[in-house]
Amino acid sequence: PEYVFLCFQMTFACITTALVLGGVVERMKFSAIFLFAVLWPTFVYFPIAHMVWGSDGYLLKLGPLDFAGGTVVHINSGVAALVGALIVGKRVGFGKEAMPPHSMPLTMVGGVLLWVGWFGFNAGSALAANGTAALAMVNTFTATAAAGLSWMLLEWMSKGKPSLLGLVSGVIAGLVAVTPAAGFAGPMGSIILGLVAGAVALFFCTTVKNALGYDESLDVFGIHAVAGVVGSILTGVLVSPSLGGLGVTDYEMVSQVWKQIVAVGIAVAWSAIGTLVILFVLRIIV
């Protein structure tokens, strides 16, 4: 029913906006956040959502695959979070004092709630209780578990001990990466995707972030944008029937991967420019 679809899409719009704000935690006035939460989904999120999922959407016609929001939700929010963090500047004491989560049990609870909710996002994106929904649900198990293990084991090897924060971060990276591929890849392909996404996101959240010195509070860019790019591009590979994927009409791997790259580029550019404009306007207003 249309009302059910309305509510389903509303949850995507809300959580994507919330993700962006994770990058600028503790550094924006409530009035600015309030206005941002109206302007950003209207001028940045909705256009990308319609491009990818609308019946006459530009990207839908172009042919890239995005089952449940790799470009729409994760690249979109991750890039916006980075732009926001760069504009509002660093938190007081950043780089000089430790800033761990104040409660690791609540961090774990949040991660668990996200994983449970993600089954709704990914399986629900089949828009029916069918085999595609079942495949998306299984992939949301396998890729996520693989990415959580990938991040945790690499952290264990490099730092000498694993951490709950690392495990939860890896889990989120896996959820992000499998989002565009959930209804197209096979379970084994999703495991490979998770292993790759966990490792790449860890690299960006540690080595790259430390090297560039930006203060992006909750690693929305390092996890959501980066794992979103990995998942979006590799969807073009993992959809291949020879790799256990479902395949698409007239499938050719190089061509499909190029379409995925074009979609990623458009999402990055739209999000970065749109967010920049909105934040400059808010800086004048507030």
Side-chain angles (χ1 to χ4, degrees), residues 65-70 74 115 118-119 121-123 125 135-147 170-195 197-198 223-224 227-232 234-235 238:
L65 303 171
D66 188 352
F67 188 74
H74 301 294
W115 197 345
W118 226 291
F119 286 119
F121 277 134
N122 285 1
S125 289
L135 176 65
M137 181 168 249
V138 169
N139 286 339
T140 305
F141 270 117
T142 56
T144 307
V171 161
I172 305 304
L175 289 166
V176 169
V178 78
T179 293
F184 302 116
M188 294 304 292
S190 292
I191 291 175
I192 301 301
L193 175 58
L195 292 172
I223 293 176
H224 290 269
V229 168
V230 170
S232 293
L234 288 184
T235 297
L238 296 174

Side-chain angles (χ1 to χ4, degrees), residues 26 99-107:
E26 301 176 332
M99 294 182 173
H102 87 280
S103 169
M104 279 312 305
L106 285 181
T107 297

Side-chain angles (χ1 to χ4, degrees), residues 157-175:
M157 290 164 56
S158 61
K159 295 185 178 180
K161 61 180 181 180
S163 73
L164 178 60
L165 181 61
L167 176 61
V168 173
S169 299
V171 161
I172 305 304
L175 289 166

Side-chain angles (χ1 to χ4, degrees), residues 89-123:
K90 299 176 182 178
R91 287 169 290 179
V92 174
F94 179 76
K96 298 177 183 177
E97 57 189 75
M99 294 182 173
H102 87 280
S103 169
M104 279 312 305
L106 285 181
T107 297
M108 181 180 173
V109 169
V112 170
L113 288 173
L114 271 173
W115 197 345
V116 171
W118 226 291
F119 286 119
F121 277 134
N122 285 1

Side-chain angles (χ1 to χ4, degrees), residues 52 58-66 71 75 229 231-237 239 248-267:
V52 173
Y58 173 72
L59 288 176
L60 186 73
K61 292 178 179 177
L62 191 64
L65 303 171
D66 188 352
T71 49
I75 295 174
V229 168
S232 293
I233 293 174
L234 288 184
T235 297
V237 176
V239 70
V248 289
T249 306
D250 299 326
Y251 175 75
E252 200 277 314
M253 188 178 293
V254 174
S255 172
Q256 189 61 50
V257 168
W258 174 246
K259 291 176 184 176
Q260 301 299 123
I261 292 172
V262 169
V264 166
I266 290 173

